[in-house]
Amino acid sequence: MQKNAVALLMVLLGLIILAFPLLGIVPFSLISGFIVLMVGIGLMLAGIAEMGESAGLGILELALGLIALIIGLGFIFNPALFSWLIGFIVWIVGLLIILAGIGAVVTGSASSRWNGVIAIVIGLIYVIAGTFLANPIVLGTLIGLWLIITGAVMFMARD
């Protein structure tokens, strides 16, 4: 029963992503920039407070805070920096999907192996589409399809 619930949830999430592939992407740069900015300020304050107990940790926190502060301001005022980071994340997401597929093929049951093959294929398509098309609608659609197919295979599996 738990497997069926997970399968249905995956299909539902896939349908949501297919319906709204850009959900949250438009304001994401500003929100991420603000969050990273707050992390930077917090790290800098923690670094200042830590200086009395451990100078090394204080300097590390100050340096990390300054880096986070610069990145946060970059996300807010320079959307190109955020776009570059998203391009890098495409590679990470594609690699994670491919690795999950390889793991399912190597260690899984018959239905898991099919899900693994599907994950490897969609992961490769995701990296290629992300590299050459750079269209978030296509990437969102691929993730939605992967979730729907994986959920459907899980739901129909007899093992």
Side-chain angles (χ1 to χ4, degrees):
M1 181 64 183
Q2 184 179 8
K3 184 177 172 184
N4 288 342
V6 170
L8 289 174
L9 182 61
M10 290 180 78
V11 170
L12 178 66
L13 289 173
L15 290 172
I16 291 170
I17 290 174
L18 281 178
F20 306 104
L22 294 178
L23 186 66
I25 289 181
V26 174
F28 199 67
S29 178
L30 291 174
I31 294 169
S32 297
F34 180 73
I35 290 169
V36 174
L37 185 70
M38 293 300 114
V39 167
I41 292 171
L43 281 170
M44 291 179 76
L45 291 174
I48 292 169
E50 192 68 41
M51 284 292 200
E53 293 180 32
S54 171
L57 181 58
I59 291 170
L60 176 65
E61 286 180 337
L62 272 173
L64 290 175
L66 183 61
I67 292 169
L69 192 71
I70 292 169
I71 291 172
L73 289 172
F75 283 176
I76 292 170
F77 294 110
N78 185 3
L81 175 64
F82 189 74
S83 296
W84 174 83
L85 183 65
I86 293 300
F88 184 65
I89 290 173
V90 165
W91 281 88
I92 293 171
V93 170
L95 183 64
L96 290 174
I97 293 172
I98 292 168
L99 290 175
I102 291 170
V105 167
V106 172
T107 63
S109 62
S111 65
S112 294
R113 286 191 184 109
W114 277 112
N115 276 341
V117 170
I118 292 165
I120 292 169
V121 169
I122 289 183
L124 289 171
I125 293 170
Y126 190 85
V127 169
I128 292 167
T131 302
F132 295 112
L133 297 178
N135 185 341
I137 294 173
V138 172
L139 297 176
T141 302
L142 284 171
I143 295 296
L145 288 174
W146 172 61
L147 287 168
I148 290 170
I149 293 168
T150 302
V153 170
M154 284 175 62
F155 189 71
M156 292 186 284
R158 301 278 182 225
D159 50 15

